[in-house]
Amino acid sequence: MKILIVGVAIILINVMSLTFHADYARYELTEQAMKNEADKCAAAAVLYFNEEAYGEGELLLKDEDAVATVEGMLNKKCTWQMHIFDDSGRHRTYEDGKLKTDTAFSYPYTFIDEAGHETVIEQPAVIVTVSYESDFYRLNGVPQKVIMRSSMYTVNGRR
């Protein structure tokens, strides 16, 4: 009987270990996919700038086009937030397509994101943060429910 109990315990531990490792691999793949989406969205959003102002030496982004592009790329898969810094001196924050804040700033500007990380903004930039919430782990006791990834795209070599 002792051998049966020990054998069942070993099988249960192995099944729990395999389940955790499979869930962790799926979590890592989802995390990487979220990072790739944030990178693509930030790079695409910065492409929509006012050509006339750019010809005069200023980079002014077209918010409506940038927001529409990010909405189209993410397609309601997750929640997202976009911070736009350009030569207008306005820091605009959009959350799921809606303008949340519009405040004044000047370069260099210390930006603190949702996770508390500090970034110094010295030139026009777009920061996109994507969040995805799900039950990633099948075992109880693993509290990780949200993946949040950010990406910043700056305009280099302009000045």
Side-chain angles (χ1 to χ4, degrees):
M1 187 68 174
K2 185 167 102 175
I3 295 174
L4 176 68
I5 292 173
V6 170
V8 169
I10 290 173
I11 290 172
L12 284 175
I13 289 172
N14 283 335
V15 167
M16 289 173 50
S17 176
L18 288 173
T19 301
F20 176 78
H21 286 291
D23 291 347
Y24 182 71
R26 186 171 49 109
Y27 175 82
E28 279 189 326
L29 288 174
T30 305
E31 189 176 42
Q32 186 61 44
M34 297 301 291
K35 178 61 177 170
N36 291 341
E37 289 295 320
D39 285 342
K40 289 190 300 187
C41 289
V46 83
L47 293 176
Y48 295 97
F49 58 90
N50 185 326
E51 292 87 2
E52 292 175 11
Y54 190 72
E56 296 171 5
E58 288 189 326
L59 184 76
L60 303 176
L61 296 175
K62 296 178 183 176
D63 292 8
E64 298 82 22
D65 295 337
V67 168
T69 298
V70 172
E71 278 181 326
M73 292 175 82
L74 294 176
N75 200 15
K76 302 286 183 193
K77 297 177 200 170
C78 55
T79 58
W80 58 274
Q81 195 170 47
M82 180 169 57
H83 301 273
I84 298 176
F85 303 91
D86 61 10
D87 290 337
S88 68
R90 310 295 299 168
H91 165 209
R92 281 109 48 216
T93 303
Y94 290 89
E95 213 171 83
D96 292 328
K98 295 175 182 58
L99 182 64
K100 183 179 172 191
T101 61
D102 186 355
T103 57
F105 82 99
S106 62
Y107 300 118
Y109 177 73
T110 302
F111 171 71
I112 301 172
D113 69 3
E114 296 79 18
H117 298 100
E118 290 186 10
T119 304
V120 176
I121 308 292
E122 296 178 345
Q123 53 204 357
V126 173
I127 300 173
V128 176
T129 303
V130 292
S131 300
Y132 182 68
E133 186 171 347
S134 181
D135 288 327
F136 297 106
Y137 294 96
R138 291 173 276 185
L139 298 174
N140 293 335
V142 182
Q144 188 66 32
K145 301 269 187 224
V146 177
I147 295 176
M148 181 185 297
R149 297 301 302 232
S150 277
S151 182
M152 179 171 82
Y153 194 90
T154 59
V155 180
N156 293 327
R158 185 176 65 84
R159 295 181 183 176

